């Protein structure tokens, strides 16, 4: 009867009912490697064989796992390193886990660069990864640009990832083998250069050792005093703590006090002797495929079918024995978190894993590199962009309930560094305090608003001009676009202003893609060069002489849209701190004020810029604000 009714209804439209049976083929992508990786973690946990980073991941970090004896030599490419950067290198080489908060412009990349050189000098294998290609490519490019006596340094680093990256690396290996085939190194001379450089760095290595020990003792003494003051103790416990306190105080008194600014005087940058050692040692590494044991590897390099060659190379990497052989040639490997599963078996094959921009890295993908390291360095800033997660909050909530996961393991809300910091209060935390990028008036907003005034801003020449500008527009009578979240008046104001700034590197940041598209179209029409446009995600890790901030907030913007912008800490912090010399905020101030019935970050920024940073009171940030050095102290007693 139902069929008859449908057929009758369809005749009105000259259509017929198709009641034939259909077979539906439902296809679902399944990444088998994910299960393999996580199964290996589960098995290691069952066998009580977790690496220290994985123990910390599960909240089982212990003070007994910290290292006090491991000795490494720090070597530096330049003499501009500050105490915080030196501490990063020292602890990453020595401790099983180190967390670093690197606010904008504090030299994260330079710290990692010098760490990798020091790791190579100390015969350490290192994996560098991140959630996307840009931070890895930045480090890789700087290492590849190193020179010794006006000749390129063939650093034994391998950049892996997608097929295009693998293709480029295969070609680079072939070029290296051909270029340095006849070059021989003198092992005796290399040993002498190594000893010479070790001696040159003895002073700074000893100073950092003492500086770090002094910090540890101060924290331990503070903890013991707190116990005596705040906890009722029995007589015997009181005696034990006082004895321990006395011993630690005596040790502390013997360590010379060196101020942060004085340490710079002891920093020695690498000299010709070091670069000679680095050059010939690198050549020694990259010539190892000439050994008979690398026959299979050479066969892949000489394969004449490019697609098949890439496939064979990737398969070669996934065999653990082969991979260990490859590490003898390339002790430093760089790839994305998602591609790390291709690097041998999911076991700790690397002495150290470094994850850059860890505040943007999701928990799941970050485990691929973490599994592969004996030690771990996480570098990031939770006051900047967070991971982009496609898992729905509803599904995430159900999964957390099903597996009884604690709040720290919230996949949607947490990055890997946030999770690790929440469950591990034992490992070292370092805040990079020295800011080098922005004009003082520009960085001061974020410093006061998001970093509890912890940033130190050295004076810079050429940064004495006005840096903050508010470019006003009147949206009331302005032309309108049919696209939502656009403001033509802001676009035209920016275009006219840019024409008066020839020769500068310029960036335009907006929260909305439609506004970005509109800006790109007008810039193309005006034939303006040296101007980049995008949302804040496209500018993470970048810097420009001048940054324009276009909110595209008009009278037609919904309340929901403004609510998303007004306290978007990551958006505001990243956008303002891309500017080196000028930050120009564009918008309708009256519209922003009318919408700001209560204080919010975006309107405070508008007032701050309009008043040139003077006499503006900034309220405490709402929600989470991460500054390690002020959130808590470590007590490794």
């Amino acid at each position: 009867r139902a069929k008859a009714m449908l057929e009758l209804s369809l005749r009105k439209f000259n259509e017929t009912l198709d009641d034939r049976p259909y077979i539906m083929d439902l296809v679902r992508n399944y990444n088998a490697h994910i299960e393999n990786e996580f199964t290996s973690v589960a098995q290691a946990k069952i066998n009580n064989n977790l690496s220290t980073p994985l123990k910390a991941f599960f909240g089982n970090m212990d003070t007994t796992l910290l290292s006090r004896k491991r000795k490494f030599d720090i070597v530096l490419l330049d003499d501009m390193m500050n105490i915080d950067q030196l501490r990063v290198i020292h602890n990453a080489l020595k401790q099983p886990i180190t967390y670093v908060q690197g606010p904008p412009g504090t030299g994260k990349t330079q710290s990692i660069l010098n760490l990798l050189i020091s790791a190579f000098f100390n015969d350490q294998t290192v994996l560098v990864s991140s959630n996307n290609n840009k931070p890895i490519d930045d480090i890789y490019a700087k290492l590849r640009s190193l020179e010794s006596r006006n000749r390129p340094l063939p650093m034994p680093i391998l950049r892996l990832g997608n097929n295009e990256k693998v293709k480029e690396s295969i070609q680079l290996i072939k070029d290296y083998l051909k270029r340095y085939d006849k070059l021989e190194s003198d092992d005796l001379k290399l040993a002498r250069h190594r000893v010479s450089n070790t001696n040159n760095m003895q002073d700074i290595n000893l100073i950092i050792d003492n500086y770090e020990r002094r910090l540890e003792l101060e924290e331990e003494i503070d903890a013991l005093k707190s116990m005596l003051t705040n906890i009722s103790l029995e007589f015997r416990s009181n005696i034990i703590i006082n004895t321990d306190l006395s011993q630690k105080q005596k040790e502390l008194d013997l360590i010379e006090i060196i101020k942060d600014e004085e340490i710079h005087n002891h920093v020695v940058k690498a000299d010709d002797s070091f670069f000679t050692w680095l050059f010939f040692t690198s050549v020694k590494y990259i010539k190892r495929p000439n050994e008979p044991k690398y026959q299979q590897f050479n066969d892949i390099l000489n394969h004449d079918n490019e697609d098949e060659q890439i496939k064979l190379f990737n398969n070669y990497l996934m065999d653990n024995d082969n991979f260990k052989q490859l590490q003898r040639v390339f002790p430093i490997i760089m790839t994305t978190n998602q591609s790390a599963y291709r690097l041998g078996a999911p076991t700790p094959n690397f002495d150290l894993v470094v994850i850059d921009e860890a505040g943007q890295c999701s928990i799941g993908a970050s485990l691929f590199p973490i599994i592969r390291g004996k030690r771990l360095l996480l570098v990031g800033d939770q006051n900047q962009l967070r991971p982009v997660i496609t898992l729905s909050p509803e599904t995430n909530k159900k999964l957390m309930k099903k597996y009884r996961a604690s709040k720290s393991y919230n996949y949607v809300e947490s990055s890997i560094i946030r999770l690790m910091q929440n469950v591990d209060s034992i490992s070292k935390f370092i805040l990079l305090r020295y800011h080098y990028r922005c004009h003082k008036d520009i960085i001061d907003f974020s410093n006061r608003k998001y970093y509890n005034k912890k940033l130190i801003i050295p004076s810079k020449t050429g940064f004495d001009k006005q840096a903050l500008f508010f470019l006003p527009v009147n949206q009331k009578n302005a032309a309108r676009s049919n696209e939502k979240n656009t403001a033509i008046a802001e676009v035209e104001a920016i275009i006219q202003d840019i024409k008066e700034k020839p020769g500068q590197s310029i960036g335009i940041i907006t929260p909305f893609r439609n506004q970005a598209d509109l800006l790109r179209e007008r810039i193309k029409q005006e034939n303006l060069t040296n101007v980049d446009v995008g949302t804040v995600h496209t500018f993470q890790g970048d810097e420009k002489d001048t940054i324009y901030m276009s909110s595209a907030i008009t009278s037609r913007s919904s309340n929901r849209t403004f609510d998303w912008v007004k306290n978007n800490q990551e958006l505001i912090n990243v956008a303002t701190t891309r500017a080196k010399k000028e930050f120009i905020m564009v918008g309708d101030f009256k519209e922003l004020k009318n919408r700001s019935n209560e204080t919010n970050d975006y309107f405070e920024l508008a007032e701050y810029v309009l008043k040139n940073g003077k006499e503006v009171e900034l309220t405490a940030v709402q929600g989470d604000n991460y500054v390690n050095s002020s959130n808590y102290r470590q007590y490794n007693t």
Side-chain angles (χ1 to χ4, degrees):
R1 186 178 176 183
K3 179 181 176 183
M5 291 175 63
L6 284 170
E7 286 176 335
L8 184 64
S9 176
L10 288 170
R11 285 194 196 114
K12 299 176 184 178
F13 305 100
N14 294 322
E15 295 181 0
T16 58
L17 180 66
D18 184 358
D19 60 352
R20 292 174 296 176
Y22 283 85
I23 298 175
M24 306 298 291
D25 185 13
L26 299 177
V27 179
R28 175 185 176 189
N29 289 328
Y30 175 68
N31 295 315
H33 72 269
I34 296 177
E35 183 172 348
N36 293 337
E37 296 284 300
F38 293 160
T39 298
S40 72
V41 176
Q43 195 60 49
K45 198 171 192 298
I46 292 170
N47 297 336
N48 198 26
N49 194 31
L50 290 172
S51 64
T52 303
L54 284 176
K55 285 179 182 177
F57 177 86
F58 288 110
N60 297 320
M61 188 58 186
D62 190 274
T63 55
T64 60
L65 299 172
L66 297 175
S67 171
R68 297 193 189 279
K69 296 180 180 178
R70 189 184 290 120
K71 290 289 184 183
F72 289 108
D73 294 311
I74 295 176
V75 291
L76 305 171
L77 293 174
D78 57 72
D79 58 0
M80 301 304 293
M81 301 291 286
N82 62 54
I83 181 57
D84 300 332
Q85 294 169 316
L86 292 169
R87 289 188 65 214
V88 170
I89 300 169
H90 173 89
N91 283 288
L93 291 173
K94 185 176 182 180
Q95 297 298 342
I97 303 169
T98 307
Y99 305 114
V100 176
Q101 183 175 7
T106 52
K108 296 189 296 290
T109 300
Q110 198 64 17
S111 300
I112 295 173
L113 192 68
N114 280 284
L115 168 61
L116 295 179
I117 296 297
S118 294
F120 182 62
F121 187 78
N122 288 278
D123 300 316
Q124 296 279 289
T125 55
V126 186
L127 169 60
V128 182
S129 69
S130 190
N131 66 310
N132 62 59
N133 288 308
K134 189 179 186 310
I136 311 167
D137 286 339
D138 287 347
I139 299 166
Y140 182 66
K142 289 190 176 184
L143 283 171
R144 287 288 310 278
S145 67
L146 293 177
E147 292 185 342
S148 172
R149 297 181 179 178
N150 296 319
R151 59 183 174 182
L153 261 170
M155 282 288 295
I157 52 175
L158 197 59
R159 173 67 168 97
L160 299 174
N162 58 36
N163 286 348
E164 190 60 35
K165 297 294 183 184
V166 171
K167 175 185 170 182
E168 291 170 3
S169 289
I170 289 173
Q171 187 58 52
L172 180 66
I173 296 169
K174 292 166 71 174
D175 290 346
Y176 276 170
L177 288 171
K178 184 177 179 181
R179 189 183 311 166
Y180 300 107
D181 182 51
K182 304 298 182 184
L183 191 63
E184 298 294 334
S185 58
D186 186 326
D187 287 348
L188 189 59
K189 284 185 178 179
L190 284 179
R192 287 201 205 103
H193 281 300
R194 187 187 186 97
V195 170
S196 173
N197 282 285
T198 300
N199 292 336
N200 289 342
M201 301 296 176
Q202 272 185 347
D203 192 21
I204 190 63
N205 280 299
L206 180 61
I207 288 171
I208 297 303
D209 268 337
N210 288 337
Y211 187 95
E212 202 67 36
R213 183 58 184 148
R214 186 173 186 87
L215 286 179
E216 291 171 359
L217 286 168
E218 287 174 347
E219 291 174 350
E220 290 167 6
I221 289 169
D222 191 15
L224 292 171
K225 287 181 177 178
S226 179
M227 289 174 67
L228 290 172
T229 304
N230 300 315
I231 302 175
S232 297
L233 300 168
E234 60 181 25
F235 181 71
R236 185 170 177 275
S237 298
N238 201 298
I239 291 175
I240 292 171
I241 290 176
N242 273 298
T243 302
D244 192 19
L245 184 61
S246 176
Q247 290 173 347
K248 291 183 185 300
Q249 188 62 55
K250 286 179 182 178
E251 184 183 352
L252 180 64
D253 292 341
L254 293 174
I255 300 175
E256 181 184 358
I257 298 175
I258 298 181
K259 295 180 180 178
D260 293 0
E261 57 272 18
E262 292 175 355
I263 288 178
H264 179 75
N265 299 328
H266 297 272
V267 174
V268 179
K269 71 175 181 178
D271 57 13
D272 286 343
S273 172
F274 174 76
F275 279 105
T276 299
W277 175 88
L278 188 57
F279 179 87
F280 284 102
T281 303
S282 296
V283 170
K284 182 179 177 181
Y285 273 76
I286 62 177
K287 287 182 66 178
R288 282 177 175 166
N290 291 329
E291 298 171 11
K293 66 177 75 175
Y294 288 93
Q295 184 59 51
Q296 182 186 356
F297 184 68
N298 282 296
D299 289 344
I300 295 171
L301 294 180
N302 295 322
H303 203 286
D304 54 5
N305 184 298
E306 189 176 275
D307 292 337
E308 185 67 17
Q309 182 186 50
I310 292 170
K311 183 179 178 181
L312 289 169
F313 189 90
N314 284 330
N315 289 338
Y316 181 88
L317 291 176
M318 295 185 76
D319 180 273
N320 208 49
D321 290 335
N322 290 340
F323 184 71
K324 287 181 178 179
Q325 291 276 59
L326 187 68
Q327 284 182 295
R328 289 186 66 245
V329 184
F330 297 101
I332 301 172
I333 293 178
M334 301 182 177
T335 191
T336 58
N337 295 338
Q338 293 85 345
S339 295
Y341 77 91
R342 296 192 181 104
L343 306 180
T347 55
N349 286 324
F350 290 92
D351 294 306
L352 173 65
V353 167
V354 179
I355 300 183
D356 194 14
E357 298 292 1
Q360 295 183 55
C361 296
S362 66
I363 297 169
S366 299
L367 281 173
F368 299 165
I370 290 174
I371 292 168
R372 289 165 166 77
K374 297 171 188 172
R375 303 195 311 279
L376 176 65
L377 170 67
L378 294 182
V379 184
D381 183 9
Q382 295 184 59
N383 293 331
Q384 298 188 62
L385 298 179
R386 298 188 181 186
V388 177
I389 304 295
T390 56
L391 183 69
S392 72
E394 293 78 15
T395 303
N396 180 62
K397 189 175 181 179
K398 288 178 182 178
L399 289 172
M400 289 187 69
K401 185 177 181 180
K402 179 179 178 180
Y403 294 104
R404 299 178 182 177
S406 69
K407 186 179 178 182
S408 296
Y409 296 88
N410 188 317
Y411 196 78
V412 170
E413 296 293 331
S414 290
S415 63
I416 187 61
I417 194 170
R418 181 177 183 178
L419 160 63
M420 296 288 280
Q421 285 184 343
N422 283 341
V423 300
D424 174 16
S425 60
I426 302 295
S427 300
K428 292 280 185 173
F429 291 78
I430 300 167
L431 171 69
L432 295 176
R433 297 166 297 165
Y434 291 83
H435 176 89
Y436 300 105
R437 176 188 296 157
C438 306
H439 187 290
K440 184 181 183 303
D441 291 342
I442 297 174
I443 190 59
D444 205 41
F445 177 83
S446 288
N447 191 20
R448 290 164 57 188
K449 185 75 179 175
Y450 304 124
Y451 297 104
N452 295 338
K453 300 181 182 179
K454 294 295 180 182
L455 300 186
I456 299 169
I457 309 162
S459 58
K460 297 185 286 288
T461 57
F463 281 71
D464 51 352
K465 297 180 180 178
Q466 183 177 340
L468 300 171
F469 300 89
F470 194 95
L471 192 58
V473 296
N474 187 344
Q475 305 279 10
K476 191 173 182 180
N477 299 317
R480 295 183 178 184
S481 168
N482 292 327
E483 298 287 346
K484 68 176 183 177
N485 297 328
T486 57
I488 293 178
E490 290 184 18
V491 173
E492 295 306 320
I494 291 170
I495 294 296
Q496 293 304 313
D497 201 63
I498 287 176
K499 290 179 179 179
E500 300 174 10
K501 293 180 170 59
Q504 293 189 36
S505 63
I506 295 172
I508 309 173
I509 299 177
T510 176
F512 306 112
R513 291 179 183 176
N514 287 342
Q515 181 74 346
D517 291 341
L518 202 61
L519 281 158
R520 287 192 195 97
E521 184 180 335
R522 286 290 290 118
I523 286 167
K524 187 176 180 180
Q525 289 172 357
E526 295 291 337
N527 198 28
L528 296 173
T529 58
N530 210 24
V531 180
D532 291 330
V533 182
T535 61
V536 70
H537 287 85
T538 63
F539 280 88
Q540 177 73 31
D542 204 354
E543 61 182 37
K544 299 289 181 182
D545 291 329
T546 299
I547 287 289
Y548 291 86
M549 178 68 172
S550 173
S551 69
I553 296 296
T554 69
S555 58
R556 294 177 294 114
S557 301
S558 67
N559 290 332
R560 185 177 178 182
T561 297
F562 183 68
D563 288 344
W564 178 75
V565 171
K566 69 181 184 182
N567 285 317
N568 193 323
Q569 173 181 322
E570 294 83 13
L571 164 72
I572 296 169
N573 188 28
V574 173
T576 54
T577 56
R578 300 311 96 188
K580 292 195 291 184
K581 297 180 179 179
E582 291 182 337
F583 177 74
I584 303 173
M585 197 169 182
V586 188
D588 188 332
F589 185 82
K590 189 176 289 186
E591 179 67 29
L592 295 176
K593 187 175 182 179
N594 289 340
R595 288 177 173 271
S596 301
N597 297 323
E598 55 186 34
T599 185
N600 63 75
D601 290 11
Y602 200 79
F603 184 67
E604 282 189 2
L605 176 62
E607 281 194 309
Y608 179 86
V609 172
L610 195 65
K611 297 180 180 180
N612 204 27
K614 307 295 189 295
E615 299 177 3
V616 177
E617 184 177 343
L618 302 180
T619 58
V621 70
Q622 300 298 310
D624 294 330
N625 183 24
Y626 297 91
V627 180
N628 294 331
S629 64
S630 62
N631 284 349
Y632 53 85
R633 299 190 73 187
Q634 299 161 239
Y635 300 122
N636 300 330
T637 56

